[in-house]
Amino acid sequence: MLRVLLSAQASSARLSGLLLLPPVQPCCLGPSKWGDHWPPGGGPHAGPVQGLQRLLEQARSPGELLRWLGQNPTKVRAHHYPVALRRLSQLLGSLPQPPPVEQATLQDLSQLIIRNCPSFDIHTIHVCLHLAALLGFPSDGPLMCALEQERRFRLPPKPPPPLPSILRGGQRLEAALSCPRFQRRPQQHLIRSLAEARPEELTPHVMVLLAQHLARHRLREPQLLEAIAHFLVVQEAQLNSKVVQKLVLPFGRLNYVPLEQQFMPCLERILAREAGVAPLATVNILMSLCQLQCLPFQALHFVFSPGFINHISGTPHALIVRRYLSLLDTAVELELPGYRGARLPRRQQVPIFPQPLTTDRARCKYSHKDIVAEGLRQLLGEEKYRQDLTVPPGYSTDFLLCVSSCGSVLPVRAQDPFLPYPPRSCPHATRDPAQRVVLMLRERWHFCRDGRVLLGSRALRERHLGLMGYQLLPLPFEELESQRGLPQLKSYLRQKLQALGLRWGPEGG
């Protein structure tokens, strides 16, 4: 269960360690939202009132912040309290080791807001609630209760039913995960603390937000992933495939197989129950399991059946589903020799990845591809490699070389750069003795945030290229970033190629 992050009886040392959330700057504060006019209940007068706001924004300590509020009661307006809360979060979040916050300081600030919140408008109340929650004030504490009570007074006569107390921690988690600033700068220590919650006490919506957060920021946090897996198992009967696809997404993306023993049996039961209800969600779940090498035979037999294929043919997402089915069929061909069920008909197959992945296109200006291409051009010559070649059944390669049986790098255009697919149809003694060597750039964004585990889609591509017979030569980002200039990079590439026993003529540079 989520722990209460802040209590009125907490010691000053404990408070200084917990109030380390990033500063919150709601777009609704300040003249940019309201122009020269503030909303009712928060409109400042000219002169001293605006001067007080500047003093609050420039306060150098929590104590100074409180003094400006307490010593100027006639100048304090409703909009000053969100400014004070925001400045408090900035003071505590900007220092690597913030000073201890006296208990009296927080209590006095809470009492000032409680005393004056009846004069707040609904906008100011919402902002104060948001900032107080992010600062860690307990949801059942005096400050949050007073603000929540004022919020309810301003609602229509029929208030919504109160939520059970076990969801209050989930509400705080939902507020944090929904905050744009938190999503841009995730705080690992806060995320880890959420793993203490029992998943059955959280709503599917909150767990989906958590799963999306981990996937988006490439955070391979075992505790949280295990919490999501356990939640899925416990809530199996209440979850449909459209929710499950979102919960399963981070496992495939982050290349993480959970320790929860019922995880796979649970997913197989959900797929058997829901496969015909939501085709796209079904295929999305299988895509995540494909990255984990955990494909269930029964579900594969269903999605490759003529009935399923005919069902999705006339839908708006038919092309993306066919692309995913083509990848699943490739996985069956390369990784599941024991599978004897239905397969995707050849006429239904499409290229898996007809263009570079979205992340590579978005980060192309940070990629090492151009400088590596120039290094290969000077080292080997333009005719000795191919760049950005897509090989059957649709995997893109960064750089491809053709190498003779004695290790000589051959002109690519004089060779067939593709290995036959599927590989089972080829005889063991091929007439073409040339090897295909694929140089794979492993950029920083191809890994989980810790930089050690390849993302699931990248690992899948390398695994399948290797199974098709291509010899892979990874170029990790740590090694590429350590090269200073083109001469060092050429020396690095020379060492890499020579370590594979490759040779090339002097005309190559």
Side-chain angles (χ1 to χ4, degrees):
M1 187 172 180
L2 292 174
R3 301 288 188 260
V4 174
L5 297 181
L6 183 65
S7 63
Q9 294 79 24
S11 68
S12 60
R14 183 183 175 203
L15 292 174
S16 65
L18 289 176
L19 295 176
L20 289 176
L21 292 171
V24 180
Q25 301 182 18
C27 61
C28 49
L29 292 180
S32 61
K33 169 77 175 179
W34 301 103
D36 295 329
H37 305 282
W38 289 74
H45 301 300
V49 174
Q50 294 177 342
L52 177 59
Q53 178 171 335
R54 285 195 295 271
L55 292 173
L56 293 174
E57 292 172 343
Q58 298 170 5
R60 291 169 294 182
S61 68
E64 181 181 343
L65 189 73
L66 185 64
R67 284 196 299 274
W68 288 126
L69 288 174
Q71 294 175 2
N72 299 273
T74 61
K75 302 174 185 176
V76 177
R77 300 293 181 268
H79 75 276
H80 286 138
Y81 294 100
V83 173
L85 288 173
R86 180 178 61 181
R87 183 55 183 161
L88 179 60
S89 70
Q90 291 172 340
L91 289 170
L92 298 176
S94 62
L95 300 176
Q97 292 184 344
V101 183
E102 295 182 1
Q103 180 180 348
T105 299
L106 291 174
Q107 289 179 338
D108 290 346
L109 178 58
S110 299
Q111 289 302 318
L112 281 173
I113 297 175
I114 292 171
R115 189 182 311 128
N116 292 278
C117 68
S119 65
F120 293 0
D121 59 23
I122 188 64
H123 167 76
T124 304
I125 289 174
H126 276 298
V127 174
C128 286
L129 274 170
H130 181 70
L131 292 172
L134 290 181
L135 274 168
F137 284 89
S139 59
D140 55 352
L143 176 60
M144 297 292 283
C145 288
L147 289 170
E148 181 64 24
Q149 183 178 14
E150 292 298 328
R151 185 189 71 83
R152 290 177 181 172
F153 284 162
R154 290 157 176 78
L155 290 176
K158 186 179 179 181
L163 292 172
S165 59
I166 60 173
L167 297 183
R168 289 173 181 168
Q171 287 177 301
R172 190 184 303 121
L173 170 58
E174 180 178 352
L177 293 173
S178 301
C179 175
R181 188 177 184 88
F182 182 82
Q183 291 177 349
R184 289 195 303 268
R185 300 179 57 190
Q187 299 292 317
Q188 298 258 351
H189 68 278
L190 177 59
I191 297 177
R192 290 194 186 97
S193 71
L194 303 179
E196 299 177 5
R198 292 199 301 270
E200 61 269 20
E201 295 180 351
L202 301 173
T203 65
H205 175 64
V206 169
M207 297 306 286
V208 165
L209 284 177
L210 180 58
Q212 291 173 336
H213 184 87
L214 297 178
R216 182 182 301 114
H217 296 289
R218 312 193 318 275
L219 296 173
R220 198 174 190 267
E221 295 288 342
Q223 285 181 295
L224 290 182
L225 291 167
E226 292 294 338
I228 295 172
H230 184 62
F231 172 82
L232 195 150
V233 171
V234 171
Q235 300 291 332
E236 173 189 345
Q238 285 72 43
L239 301 177
N240 59 48
S241 57
K242 292 184 179 180
V243 173
V244 172
Q245 67 175 341
K246 298 174 184 178
L247 294 176
V248 175
L249 173 66
F251 296 96
R253 174 167 169 75
L254 302 172
N255 204 2
Y256 182 86
V257 179
L259 300 176
E260 172 62 60
Q261 295 183 353
Q262 292 300 313
F263 180 75
M264 278 306 303
C266 171
L267 286 179
E268 291 184 22
R269 291 191 295 268
I270 293 174
L271 285 170
R273 183 184 76 214
E274 299 268 335
V277 179
L280 183 58
T282 298
V283 177
N284 281 335
I285 295 171
L286 289 176
M287 284 290 292
S288 294
L289 296 181
C290 179
Q291 294 172 351
L292 300 176
Q293 297 178 272
C294 297
L295 286 171
F297 283 16
Q298 183 179 357
L300 287 174
H301 184 78
F302 178 82
V303 297
F304 289 146
S305 66
F308 183 86
I309 295 173
N310 292 335
H311 177 65
I312 60 99
S313 295
T315 61
H317 45 261
L319 180 58
I320 188 65
V321 172
R322 285 176 61 194
R323 186 166 294 146
Y324 288 173
L325 290 179
S326 298
L327 189 147
L328 292 173
D329 189 78
T330 301
V332 169
E333 177 68 37
L334 298 174
E335 299 183 302
L336 299 178
Y339 178 78
R340 296 292 181 266
R343 294 284 298 274
L344 184 65
R346 185 62 58 92
R347 67 180 184 277
Q348 296 285 350
Q349 295 179 8
V350 296
I352 299 172
F353 300 112
Q355 56 188 0
L357 298 179
T358 303
T359 52
D360 284 334
R361 296 200 304 272
R363 295 184 168 99
C364 62
K365 63 181 179 180
Y366 307 111
S367 174
H368 293 89
K369 183 171 290 186
D370 289 342
I371 192 171
V372 171
E374 180 61 21
L376 289 175
R377 188 189 69 81
Q378 295 188 19
L379 194 64
L380 304 177
E382 290 186 56
E383 74 281 1
K384 297 292 183 67
Y385 71 92
R386 289 283 299 274
Q387 181 177 346
D388 294 328
L389 185 67
T390 299
V391 302
Y395 283 114
S396 62
T397 59
D398 296 318
F399 302 96
L400 186 141
L401 313 178
C402 290
V403 182
S404 70
S405 58
C406 61
S408 298
V409 180
L410 304 172
V412 177
R413 299 191 186 279
Q415 311 291 323
D416 181 1
F418 304 127
L419 290 176
Y421 179 83
R424 280 185 195 165
S425 61
C426 303
H428 294 291
T430 177
R431 295 180 181 179
D432 182 6
Q435 290 182 308
R436 275 69 171 180
V437 177
V438 176
L439 279 67
M440 305 290 293
L441 295 181
R442 287 184 171 179
E443 302 284 10
R444 186 179 294 273
W445 57 87
H446 294 168
F447 291 83
C448 298
R449 184 62 63 91
D450 58 14
R452 294 187 297 271
V453 179
L454 272 175
L455 294 176
S457 59
R458 301 289 169 176
L460 176 69
R461 180 175 67 155
E462 293 193 10
R463 191 167 69 242
H464 283 186
L465 286 173
L467 290 171
M468 287 188 286
Y470 294 92
Q471 186 173 3
L472 304 184
L473 177 58
L475 302 178
F477 70 89
E478 304 99 328
E479 298 177 3
L480 292 172
E481 290 176 355
S482 66
Q483 309 307 315
R484 296 293 180 261
L486 190 57
Q488 279 195 21
L489 180 69
K490 284 174 59 179
S491 176
Y492 165 77
L493 292 174
R494 181 182 291 108
Q495 293 174 7
K496 284 284 189 179
L497 296 175
Q498 289 176 345
L500 290 180
L502 306 190
R503 298 183 294 105
W504 55 94
E507 70 278 4

